[in-house]
Amino acid sequence: MHQPVPLEHASRLLNHGPTVLVTSAHGGRRNVMAAAWSMPVEFTPPRIAVVIDKHTFTSELVHASGVFALGLPGPALADLTYTVGSVSGRDLAADGTDKFARFGIETMAGPVLGLPLVAGCSAWLECRLIPEPHAQQAYDTCFAEVVSAQADPRVFAGGRWSLRDDNADLHTLHHLGGGAFAVASRVLQGRVLAGRS
Amino acid sequence: MHQPVPLEHASRLLNHGPTVLVTSAHGGRRNVMAAAWSMPVEFTPPRIAVVIDKHTFTSELVHASGVFALGLPGPALADLTYTVGSVSGRDLAADGTDKFARFGIETMAGPVLGLPLVAGCSAWLECRLIPEPHAQQAYDTCFAEVVSAQADPRVFAGGRWSLRDDNADLHTLHHLGGGAFAVASRVLQGRVLAGRS
């Protein structure tokens, strides 16, 4: 299931640091990789930063096309997330295939850019790269503007995540390293302290 | 409790997207704010990026001193984290006080830079700002090199997080917005899929 998320709420999708699936396509080739290193950088216009190693096939496709998409996988996609972060799409492309075919990954087309979005995620963003050659070269950091945002309304609605026992399959993954993921499940509400006068 | 973390493992502390407390000090003034937007950008040398609004008191202190520290709060510090993200240190400084005094925040001195580290966190990093005026101006994004890393060995040891029921007080917070935090508690292990041949 997916519903549009107003762009002014797009930063909320990444605010808590989920691991994402980065999808890209150019010239008839496409790829998907996992990225643990991303963050919002601005609310309005909605902008993000994501680290994409410049030697990856994804980096090649992103810089050729100027666009990419993000998907936020849940527990059911943990094996897939670890797998696409461990296998190179360039090797598969040389064999005339890709990770989508190899691992049976279903996609839907992004609403603005038409990029492949990984089905079964909790949320998705389409992004237009902001050319920043120095940040890309020095830090592998890609700044981008979010041009579409969607979420599964069972877990994100009204601009807020609602992580409950009955939607545990849609909770976000947070990569600890080595394929171990923390799942954002337990929620607590902070309150503002009065402090000493 | 705190033990040194080898710098080659520093990225693991931020890999899963925790919300952090940013501490800073310059010229006899000091401050602490919450930041949900940070990420590693490089393993070696260990480098990170963190978004610090250029209008904040923290930004003033960080750019004057060239250094800052991060602490990773757990559930016991959720109220404090939300509070220091909601109150301006500049207002308190005008009254001759600061958030540490106002909210009874205990600190220890960072081992390399001597910065105030918030006691009771799960992990801490000291960072030296890498001057990147364009990224700071355009995206409020501060790149920095990690010069010290420490963690509470009850929750992070041997380069890995170990999130268990018996150390729930040290699990990291991930800000969903509006003071609601997801706690990184449940862990699952992904495996690499064979795929279709």
Side-chain angles (χ1 to χ4, degrees):
Chain A
M1 296 176 68
H2 54 99
Q3 280 186 353
V5 170
L7 288 178
E8 64 262 34
H9 294 154
S11 67
R12 285 277 174 91
L13 298 175
L14 298 179
N15 202 70
H16 61 310
T19 292
V20 298
L21 297 172
V22 183
T23 49
S24 54
H26 183 69
R29 299 184 301 170
R30 55 186 185 159
N31 198 30
V32 51
M33 64 168 258
W37 299 356
S38 76
M39 63 180 184
V41 300
E42 184 68 77
F43 297 103
T44 306
R47 289 175 166 169
I48 64 155
V50 57
V51 177
I52 301 174
D53 186 314
K54 66 179 71 62
H55 302 102
T56 59
F57 189 46
T58 290
S59 179
E60 181 183 331
L61 296 179
V62 168
H63 289 101
S65 65
V67 294
F68 61 88
L70 305 180
L72 277 61
L77 297 177
D79 290 347
L80 182 69
T81 301
Y82 189 43
T83 301
V84 300
S86 307
V87 174
S88 171
R90 189 176 279 120
D91 296 340
L92 295 175
D95 292 339
T97 186
D98 62 30
K99 296 186 200 176
F100 299 92
R102 176 64 62 95
F103 301 109
I105 304 171
E106 294 185 19
T107 63
M108 55 186 185
V112 171
L113 300 175
L115 285 163
L117 306 182
V118 176
C121 283
S122 303
W124 304 263
L125 304 97
E126 287 183 301
C127 304
R128 207 181 291 280
L129 190 66
I130 302 172
E132 290 288 358
H134 173 67
Q136 291 164 25
Q137 186 61 39
Y139 306 107
D140 286 334
T141 297
C142 299
F143 290 98
E145 183 155 339
V146 180
V147 297
S148 82
Q150 300 176 94
D152 189 316
R154 292 173 295 183
V155 71
F156 186 94
R160 294 182 179 278
W161 288 98
S162 179
L163 306 170
R164 308 179 309 269
D165 287 346
D166 67 293
N167 63 11
D169 287 351
L170 296 169
H171 295 181
T172 50
L173 302 181
H174 301 252
H175 193 222
L176 297 168
F181 296 95
V183 186
S185 295
R186 184 180 152 214
V187 177
L188 57 84
Q189 179 63 48
R191 63 195 176 86
V192 175
L193 302 171
R196 302 165 182 171
S197 59
Chain B
M1 294 174 70
H2 53 100
Q3 280 185 354
V5 170
L7 288 178
E8 63 264 33
H9 293 155
S11 67
R12 285 279 174 89
L13 298 175
L14 297 180
N15 202 69
H16 61 310
T19 292
V20 297
L21 296 171
V22 183
T23 48
S24 52
H26 183 70
R29 299 185 300 169
R30 57 185 184 159
N31 198 31
V32 52
M33 64 169 258
W37 299 355
S38 77
M39 62 180 185
V41 300
E42 183 71 77
F43 297 103
T44 307
R47 289 175 167 170
I48 64 155
V50 58
V51 177
I52 301 174
D53 186 315
K54 65 179 71 62
H55 302 103
T56 59
F57 189 47
T58 290
S59 180
E60 181 182 331
L61 296 179
V62 168
H63 289 102
S65 65
V67 294
F68 60 88
L70 305 180
L72 278 60
L77 297 177
D79 290 347
L80 182 69
T81 301
Y82 189 42
T83 301
V84 300
S86 307
V87 174
S88 171
R90 190 176 279 121
D91 297 341
L92 295 176
D95 293 338
T97 184
D98 61 31
K99 296 186 200 176
F100 299 92
R102 177 63 60 97
F103 301 109
I105 303 170
E106 294 185 18
T107 62
M108 55 185 185
V112 171
L113 300 174
L115 284 163
L117 306 182
V118 177
C121 283
S122 303
W124 304 264
L125 304 97
E126 287 183 301
C127 304
R128 206 180 291 281
L129 191 66
I130 303 172
E132 289 288 357
H134 173 67
Q136 292 165 24
Q137 186 61 36
Y139 307 107
D140 286 335
T141 298
C142 299
F143 291 98
E145 183 155 338
V146 180
V147 297
S148 81
Q150 300 177 94
D152 189 315
R154 293 173 293 184
V155 71
F156 186 93
R160 294 182 179 277
W161 288 98
S162 178
L163 305 170
R164 309 179 309 269
D165 288 347
D166 68 291
N167 63 12
D169 287 352
L170 296 168
H171 295 182
T172 51
L173 302 180
H174 301 253
H175 193 221
L176 296 167
F181 296 94
V183 186
S185 295
R186 184 181 152 213
V187 177
L188 58 82
Q189 179 64 47
R191 62 197 176 88
V192 176
L193 302 171
R196 301 165 183 171
S197 60

